[in-house]
Structure formats: structure tokens, C-alpha cells
Amino acid sequence: MSLRSTLAFTIARRELRGGLRGFRVFLACLALGVAAIAAVGTLRTGIQQGLTDQGAVILGGDAEMRFTYRAADADERAYMDRIATRVSEVYDFRSMALIEGDQALTQVKAVDDGWPLTGAATLDPAIAVAEALADQNGIPGALMDPVLIDRLSLQIGDTFRLGTQDFRLTAALVREPDSASTGFALGPRTVVRTEALANSGLLSAGSLYETRYRLTLPPGADLQVLEDQSEGQFRDKGMRWTDSRNAAPGIEGFVDRIGSFLVLVGLAGLAVGGVGISAAIRSYLDGKTETIATLKTLGAEAG
Amino acid sequence: MTDPVLALPVLALTDARLTLAGNAGPVEILKGISLDIAKGETVGLIGPSGSGKSSLLMLMGGLERATGGKVLALGQDLTAMDEDALARFRRGNMGVVFQSFHLIPTMTALENVALPMELSGTPDAFPRAEAELASVGLGHRIGHYPAQLSGGEQQRVALARAAAPRPAILLADEPTGNLDGVNGQAIMDMLFGLRDRHGATLVLVTHSPELATRCDRVIRLADGLLAPEALAKAAE
Ligand SMILES: Nc1ncnc2c1ncn2[C@@H]1O[C@H](COP(=O)(O)OP(=O)(O)OP(=O)(O)O)[C@@H](O)[C@H]1O
Ligand SMILES: [Mg+2]
């Protein structure tokens, strides 16, 4: 460093005794804005990567055919059996879980032996799904979201009713692998076997329910071709197709919207920070103008 | 004075003009000032407010550039220098004291006084600054920041800062204007003392007739021009 620049540095350092106080808030705004935008980007990428990677698990199968207010008919079942190596049928509907003196709204998932086709359910106690849902002394087993268990103050082994059918709570459903693809749920989850509902009166004609058929496809199956083909054949009959390429459209849309919103927040932070910084610099320099004028009077060169 | 170099005026203005851009068009502030000031001379600059006294002082110090005519200081043409050349010229050659002291608030008294010497690369800037502060009676205040000093003390620091590099020319613009009588008197005594000790040429803007009488010569400005009696005196 030359003598001149050493002196300039010395003078600058003395000047900084005044501190950067006025800038702190705005620097924080800038840092937050940048951090928010960066974080949102990372988060969004992460979530989307996860959705893509875990598409089949989230969906509960490589592909799903969905019907409203009815189960698949024989034609449709035959078609599924042809294109898929495994098929699992899930009924989804709202009902009331009844106990003596209390009741609570629940979103019931009635499953077959195949569920879950992909991923695994986490139960507490950690028993197998088949064991948990099996009949015991003529009463079928059921899984419940811990929230619902708390709400109804149930203990493992207690019974409750769905419609006219009794069920025994065998385990808490700590993690449901295909919960994200189910879409809008009005109540916490209860899982039972479809067969056990035969006498409940809940799945009779006129009930509001959805059926979802999760398909495990042979390796190398072309999802686009299958989608086009299935829709061509069954769309008119109310079939809707989803596959692991876009397993949870609701979540992706949500992440996109939240992401955009947070980026907006970040940008607003940056804008506030930027405006603030420029104002702060202006007032800081206003404060320094006299110092600069004095320095020049004393023989300081501009550069 | 037989030595031709010594006989040269320290400050020589020839038809110096200053026009500044005001809000309502250009303002003619100095309308042609011709004036010589000899080495060691003490000149009092008086005149009504707004007559251009400060502006004339700025012109002499190269702090304001003449928009017409010539301003020579120590034989050098200030009107031909660029900003940086003027800044370099001021170091060591000019000491300036203002009515409002213009100390740098983030520097201590010692650093303020040492600054012009640091700028001109004087190696013993700090010991000299300390001695200079002692000579204005502030030896015990060297570590204080301007805000911790009284007005009179601040002006003494400013005086020490102007005098420490031993400039050939001292310019003072109402240096006692912001001070009470006692403090003003002390500052004036110091200013004249400095001039006596170092033989500097002193140009002093003042409103005080009493102070003006302590000067070798009094120049009266009126409306951007030298008043007739000053012209008459200069012609003698
Ligand atoms: N930067 C500027 N732009 C425009 N006009 C200016 C500027 N600076 C000073 N003036 C004007 O120039 C005139 C002379 O100003 P100057 O400060 O030299 O007067 P002064 O004799 O020192 O007055 P005072 O005794 O009040 O200090 C004034 O009318 C002033 O308004
Ligand atoms: Mg003035």
C-alpha cells in the first residue's frame, strides 16, 4: 500500500467510528430478502424433486384409476388386470366414528389385501397391516389417525362403530404412505378392510364415495401411452387417471403458489431494503458532505 | 525591499470575477476585484453582509474558482489549476479558519490537527500537532472529539490545524463570529500571535471595526466591488 492509500484507509477508518448504525436494519432487510428467495428456490426444488422421486409412493402405486360414487365394473377390472401386475382397490368416503356418547367425523379408507402397494404404513404398536385389520372374535380391526384416537379418547383394543358395523381399534396410523395423493380430507383418517364394511350400510348405492385403483405396472411401461389408452376407453364413464409423474397435483400447485408468494415476500424485502439503503446512503453522505468539504479544504485530493 | 522575489505579492488578483448559478439565473457575486497583498501583510476584509467577503476569501484560497480574471498565490496561477492541483497547493501553503470551525467530528483534536500534515506526508505530523495544540492551550485535550469541546476550544483546534503546517498564507473568515467576547479575544490574540511568530500573511474577514484596526490594511467590499476608499488607498 502506498502512503496515500494508507492514509485514505486511516481516514476512512476514523470516519467509520461514526458506525454503520443507520444501515443495519436495511442490511438485514437485504439479507433476509436474498435468503428468503434462495430458501424458497431450494425448498421448492427439494419438494418437487421429492414429489418426482417419491411419486409412486405418494400415489400408492405407479398409476391410479379413480371413480366417483361407484366401483370399477367388470370391464374396467379386466382392463386393469391386463395392464398392471398388481391392483389394489381403495374406497374413500366420509363417515362418523361412533362411540358410546360421542362421535367424530372421519375420512374412511377401506382397503384390500394389496394396500399399500408402495411404501409402508407406520403403525403404533408396530404390527403388520394385515394383522391390524384382521377379524378378531368376529370384530374387524381398524387403524386410526392418532388425532382421532385422542379426540375420541380411545385405547387400543376399544371398539367403535362406522355405520352399523363395529370395529376394534388395533393400532394408531402414525404414517399413511399415500396420504398426500388423497386430496381434500374432511376428517382424520380411519383405515379398515373393505370386506368388513359389507354389513355397515355405508357403501350402498347412493353413498358418496370414491374408489381408487392403484396399479403396479410392469417395468418399462409407458405411462403416457397407458394414460391415453385408458382415458380413451373409460373417460366417458367417469374414470380419472393419475400416475407417478404427477402424483400429488394438489401439493405441487400448493407448493408453487406458496413459492411464488414467498418469492414475492422476498422481493418486497429486497425492495424495502434497497430503498432503505439508498435513503440511508443519501443521508449518510449528506452527513459526510461537510467532512468531505473540510478534507478538501485541508488539501485532500479527490482520488 | 530590494529582493525581487520578496517584493512579489503573495496574493495578486487581477479583475477577479465570480459568477455562480443561482436559482433565478447566474448571480454575479464578485464583479472584478484587483488587489495585491504583500508578504507578511495583515489585511482586514470588511463590508456589509452579502458583499462577497467570504467569496473573495474562497477565491484567494482556491476553494472557489474565479470565473474571470486572474488569481495568483505565491506566484502561481490558481485559475489554471485543476481541483487536485489546488488541493496539493493548499497543503502547506494555505491555512484556513472558518466561522463555524469545520472540525471533522469523527477525529480527535490531535487527529484533526495532524490531518493536513498527514495529507502532505509530513513524517512527524503527530508530535507537531501535539505541540501546536499545546501552544493554543489545549495540550490536555488532545484525545477529545470535537463534540466534547467548547466552541472556543474547537476554534482553537481549528486554529492549530491551520497553523501547524506553517502555511505562508492564513485565511480566516470571521473566526470569532460564533464566540463570546472573551473567547473571541483569545482566538484573535492567538491568530495574531501565530502571524507574528511565523511571519505568515494573514487575510481576515471581520465585522469588528476594532479588530480591523489591528490589521496593517483594511479593505472594504461593497456589492462585489472594492469600495472607493480601498481603491484610493491601494492606489497610493
Ligand atoms: N453558492 C452560491 N450560489 C449563489 N449565490 C451565492 C452562493 N454563495 C454565496 N452567494 C451569494 O453571494 C453573495 C456574497 O456572499 P458572501 O458569503 O461572499 O458574503 P459575505 O460578504 O461573506 O457575507 P457575510 O458577512 O454575511 O458572511 C451573497 O449575496 C450570497 O447570497
Ligand atoms: Mg461570509
Side-chain angles (χ1 to χ4, degrees):
Chain A
M1 249 199 271
S2 71
L3 177 75
R4 292 230 50 82
S5 55
T6 312
L7 181 60
F9 179 73
T10 306
I11 292 175
R13 210 185 49 222
R14 288 179 196 155
E15 273 308 293
L16 284 178
R17 285 170 187 164
L20 290 171
R21 274 187 294 278
F23 291 104
R24 285 212 189 113
V25 170
F26 303 113
L27 287 175
C29 274
L30 281 190
L32 272 180
V34 170
I37 288 175
V40 167
T42 317
L43 191 69
R44 195 201 301 216
T45 318
I47 291 177
Q48 272 159 358
Q49 189 63 45
L51 288 176
T52 310
D53 290 352
Q54 298 291 307
V57 173
I58 291 165
L59 186 64
D62 297 326
E64 178 187 88
M65 291 169 74
R66 190 160 89 250
F67 303 89
T68 308
Y69 310 147
R70 69 178 181 88
D73 61 22
D75 259 10
E76 288 155 347
R77 282 308 294 251
Y79 172 81
M80 291 176 208
D81 289 339
R82 206 172 68 244
I83 62 167
T85 54
R86 281 166 68 208
V87 180
S88 164
E89 181 190 54
V90 171
Y91 282 73
D92 197 319
F93 60 97
R94 277 185 286 289
S95 184
M96 300 302 288
L98 308 165
I99 59 170
E100 202 54 49
D102 201 3
Q103 58 182 34
L105 189 65
T106 175
Q107 188 82 24
V108 180
K109 177 181 265 176
V111 301
D112 59 12
D113 295 335
W115 185 82
L117 266 193
T118 50
T122 307
L123 308 186
D124 179 22
I127 52 177
V129 171
E131 186 189 339
L133 298 181
D135 281 12
Q136 215 181 337
N137 306 328
I139 303 181
L143 309 172
M144 262 190 181
D145 189 311
V147 172
L148 190 56
I149 297 177
D150 278 357
R151 162 75 183 74
L152 293 172
S153 311
L154 289 172
Q155 304 290 325
I156 302 298
D158 288 355
T159 57
F160 63 94
R161 257 186 313 137
L162 292 176
T164 55
Q165 174 68 50
D166 280 342
F167 289 92
R168 185 194 310 284
L169 177 65
T170 54
L173 180 59
V174 178
R175 205 178 72 88
E176 180 189 3
D178 53 349
S179 62
S181 64
T182 310
F184 190 64
L186 265 185
R189 180 64 78 192
T190 301
V191 178
V192 297
R193 283 179 53 107
T194 310
E195 288 160 18
L197 290 170
N199 301 320
S200 67
L202 291 171
L203 293 180
S204 49
S207 311
L208 301 181
Y209 63 92
E210 269 190 345
T211 53
R212 298 159 178 268
Y213 294 85
R214 274 71 183 268
L215 313 178
T216 302
L217 299 172
D222 187 328
L223 291 169
Q224 188 59 51
V225 168
L226 286 174
E227 176 178 0
D228 294 345
Q229 185 184 322
S230 312
E231 296 212 321
Q233 265 180 277
F234 304 116
R235 176 138 202 126
D236 297 345
K237 295 165 73 182
M239 186 281 300
R240 268 167 294 162
W241 173 278
T242 312
D243 61 49
S244 59
R245 290 171 303 174
N246 186 18
I251 290 190
E252 269 176 64
F254 174 76
V255 169
D256 268 353
R257 278 192 301 279
I258 287 289
S260 312
F261 173 72
L262 289 179
V263 165
L264 200 67
V265 169
L267 285 177
L270 279 184
V272 169
V275 169
I277 285 266
S278 74
I281 286 179
R282 212 174 310 126
S283 79
Y284 184 78
L285 284 186
D286 283 349
K288 295 299 175 204
T289 315
E290 194 172 337
T291 295
I292 292 167
T294 306
L295 279 168
K296 292 196 120 186
T297 306
L298 298 178
E301 290 157 74
Chain B
M1 290 202 193
T2 47
D3 188 332
V5 177
L6 284 182
L8 263 181
V10 165
L11 284 164
L13 285 76
T14 318
D15 194 28
R17 290 166 186 277
L18 180 64
T19 306
L20 291 177
N23 288 333
V27 187
E28 220 185 342
I29 293 166
L30 296 175
K31 302 171 180 172
I33 307 270
S34 297
L35 177 68
D36 282 357
I37 297 175
K39 184 175 190 306
E41 200 177 5
T42 296
V43 175
L45 212 51
I46 60 172
S49 184
S51 55
K53 305 181 295 292
S54 297
S55 306
L56 181 57
L57 205 70
M58 297 292 236
L59 226 56
M60 291 173 172
L63 293 164
E64 198 77 74
R65 186 184 300 277
T67 47
K70 272 209 176 327
V71 178
L72 270 71
L74 303 170
Q76 299 205 41
D77 186 357
L78 300 188
T79 52
M81 292 187 195
D82 67 17
E83 287 273 327
D84 283 349
L86 280 174
R88 281 191 296 273
F89 177 76
R90 272 198 295 278
R91 286 184 213 149
N93 291 326
M94 301 260 184
V96 190
V97 185
F98 299 97
Q99 176 175 353
S100 51
F101 328 116
H102 289 299
L103 297 178
I104 293 179
T106 53
M107 297 189 191
T108 61
L110 184 66
E111 285 164 350
N112 262 289
V113 176
L115 186 59
M117 293 183 285
E118 286 187 282
L119 285 169
S120 53
T122 311
D124 52 350
F126 280 91
R128 274 176 64 176
E130 204 173 336
E132 202 67 35
L133 276 169
S135 82
V136 296
L138 286 178
H140 58 301
R141 298 291 231 176
I142 59 172
H144 286 58
Y145 288 93
Q148 300 168 319
L149 298 170
S150 74
E153 288 168 336
Q154 288 187 51
Q155 191 62 300
R156 281 192 266 164
V157 174
L159 211 58
R161 182 176 66 185
R166 301 283 171 265
I169 305 169
L170 266 175
L171 304 175
D173 191 351
E174 299 183 53
T176 60
N178 273 346
L179 303 176
D180 63 31
V182 177
N183 271 304
Q185 189 59 47
I187 289 292
M188 271 311 157
D189 291 345
M190 280 175 200
L191 190 59
F192 282 100
L194 283 171
R195 174 205 61 176
D196 293 341
R197 257 181 287 142
H198 310 307
T201 303
L202 173 63
V203 182
L204 171 67
V205 174
T206 180
H207 275 125
S208 147
E210 184 212 342
L211 266 178
T213 56
R214 289 176 69 172
C215 300
D216 302 333
R217 177 154 61 120
V218 174
I219 294 174
R220 182 182 300 275
L221 266 179
D223 198 18
L225 285 168
L226 296 184
E229 79 255 47
L231 290 174
K233 254 193 160 179
E236 280 170 12

